[in-house]
Amino acid sequence: MTEDDPLDDFERRHLTFDSTTKVVLVSGSGPAVIVMPEMPGISPHLARFARWVREAGFTVYLPSLFGRDGALPTVEDGTAVMQRACVSAEFRAFGANRSSPVTRWLRALAAAAHEQCGGPGVGAVGMCFTGNFALTMTLEASVLAPVLCQPSLPLDDPAGLEIAPEDLEAVRERLDRDDLTVLAYRFAGDKWCRAERFAAYASALGNRFVGTALPDSAANPTPPPFFADVVASPHSVVTAHLIDAAGEPTLTARDEILTFLAARLIPGR
């Protein structure tokens, strides 16, 4: 966790949807789970989480949406990646009630992954910048298990939701129709994903939204430099701020996510 990850155990695929080609790292077998990167990219900590998903019996898909794949998040590089993403046309970093255009590509990825891997459907785990994308992806019929980890957009409105009103209404109808649940996690003192955002989700989705706030004391006190100096608060529940030790709340959160995915995607589990 202290140096770049070569990601040699993942297959690099160039996949094209909606006339846009992106690199997707794929590994494992079983039903598909799309794990979207947090800012500033597919870090060693994010890859560790993806491997946990793989070891739980899934084919994990890691779309490369920003940053350098496998890089340890430094202050300088991470800040530059974040600044580019904030002005990218693919993302809606500012202003609530808008869906990021990249979610159309991600929904197409989910459909293709389901066709390739089979099973009842697909899981989607979003984190930080991509946190809410997992919710919007439920507009794709194959997505059955959405997980939102510290959803941070929009950056300028703590109570805002990064989804268009018509998309949110369609998502709520889908959750009710197919009896789906949205799992979500944040740290209590996270300044990027505050309590107001989870309250907004609960108001919009009712009991379909199951949100958990972990105490700040549960966060890893020595995360990589980008998280220590730029994020500067407990934030990444199952990656940079996870403490990999028995009994730790962050490890419990990881296990809850894996159990949730298995319950939806692996028959008989």
Side-chain angles (χ1 to χ4, degrees), residues 116-193:
Q116 179 178 8
C117 298
V122 175
V125 183
M127 303 184 189
C128 179
F129 224 71
T130 66
N132 190 75
F133 296 177
L135 181 67
T136 309
M137 286 174 67
T138 60
L139 295 173
E140 158 56 39
S142 65
V143 176
L144 302 180
V147 181
L148 284 60
C149 293
Q150 66 275 352
S152 303
L153 301 186
L155 296 174
D156 58 345
D157 184 356
L161 298 183
E162 195 270 345
I163 185 170
E166 62 272 20
D167 287 347
L168 183 59
E169 179 61 27
V171 165
R172 176 57 198 254
E173 292 176 0
R174 165 89 200 284
L175 298 177
D176 287 339
R177 182 176 66 250
D178 294 341
D179 191 23
L180 302 183
T181 300
V182 178
L183 213 60
Y185 294 88
R186 60 180 291 272
F187 283 106
D190 188 349
K191 67 181 184 181
W192 301 90
C193 177

Side-chain angles (χ1 to χ4, degrees), residues 24-83:
V24 180
L25 306 179
V26 183
S27 186
S29 60
V33 174
I34 298 170
V35 176
M36 290 164 277
E38 62 187 347
M39 192 57 59
I42 301 176
S43 68
H45 285 85
L46 187 100
R48 178 180 65 176
F49 176 78
R51 292 181 178 109
W52 283 329
V53 173
R54 178 186 66 194
E55 291 162 6
F58 301 100
T59 305
V60 64
Y61 287 71
L62 280 176
S64 180
L65 302 180
F66 36 72
R68 180 168 63 86
D69 298 342
L72 186 72
T74 65
V75 171
E76 182 178 7
D77 290 346
T79 300
V81 171
M82 185 172 177
Q83 289 172 342

Side-chain angles (χ1 to χ4, degrees), residues 193-234:
C193 177
R194 289 167 35 180
E196 295 96 320
R197 179 151 299 138
F198 269 31
Y201 280 120
S203 176
L205 304 177
N207 61 7
R208 297 294 174 184
F209 178 77
V210 180
T212 298
L214 279 63
D216 293 349
S217 60
N220 172 18
T222 57
F226 176 80
F227 293 92
D229 297 340
V230 179
V231 176
S233 75

